Amino acid sequence: MNGEHHYHLRSTWTGDRGSGTSGYRDYDRAVTLEVDGKPAIAASADKPFRGDPAKWNPEELLLAALSECHLLSYLHACVTTGVVVTAYEDDASGTMQEDGNSGGAFTEVVLRPRVRVADESMVEAARAAHKQAREWCFIANSVNFPVRHEPEITVG
């Protein structure tokens, strides 16, 4: 499955309160994210940046992309090594540092997957599959900060 893949998204600012961006506090940070054929996502800036905390923000979406990409890559790695995964849940966290010049960057993301496998004999291979998943994850390979993994493997 080699090749170039293209993705398209429409971001629409919906936060004009009647005077556009006439002042920093005069507009809402509301955005609608849309991909054809899928439900729209109501998004905003994070609360410290005058956003709506009830809506998804770019930082959460980046964290979600990393977590989901690892999950999907991990499941594939497990299939190729004969590991039967019966449950997977991740409590991911990320750290972003402001630079003092109105910018900043993520400095680290930690994924904490809790994986349940079908048999005790699969535990070590299940643990090793996280390394393969990291190598396969398109999103993790696209960021310039560390994405660490702290997996927990159980049998059940």
Side-chain angles (χ1 to χ4, degrees), residues 62-152:
L62 176 62
L63 186 59
L66 285 163
S67 179
E68 182 182 0
C69 187
H70 184 80
L71 181 157
L72 296 171
S73 298
Y74 180 78
L75 295 178
H76 179 69
C78 286
V79 165
T80 64
T81 58
V83 173
V84 177
V85 174
T86 59
Y88 184 113
E89 188 175 273
D90 183 15
D91 286 322
S93 63
T95 302
M96 185 186 75
Q97 180 65 50
E98 291 185 70
D99 64 11
N101 293 315
S102 298
F106 271 79
T107 57
E108 175 183 62
V109 162
V110 180
L111 304 179
R112 294 178 184 85
R114 288 187 307 282
V115 179
R116 188 170 62 231
V117 297
D119 189 82
E120 183 72 35
S121 65
M122 300 173 178
V123 170
E124 284 313 307
R127 193 173 315 285
H130 284 287
K131 181 180 184 304
Q132 183 64 66
R134 171 56 180 96
E135 293 172 7
W136 287 346
C137 177
F138 303 130
I139 308 301
N141 289 327
S142 300
V143 299
N144 65 352
F145 53 85
V147 179
R148 293 191 302 111
H149 306 93
E150 297 176 357
E152 175 187 319

Side-chain angles (χ1 to χ4, degrees), residues 1-24:
M1 186 173 93
N2 293 334
E4 188 172 85
H5 304 271
H6 300 273
Y7 301 91
H8 303 278
L9 169 86
R10 185 172 30 265
S11 298
T12 306
W13 174 53
T14 57
D16 183 1
R17 294 179 180 154
S19 62
T21 57
S22 58
Y24 184 72

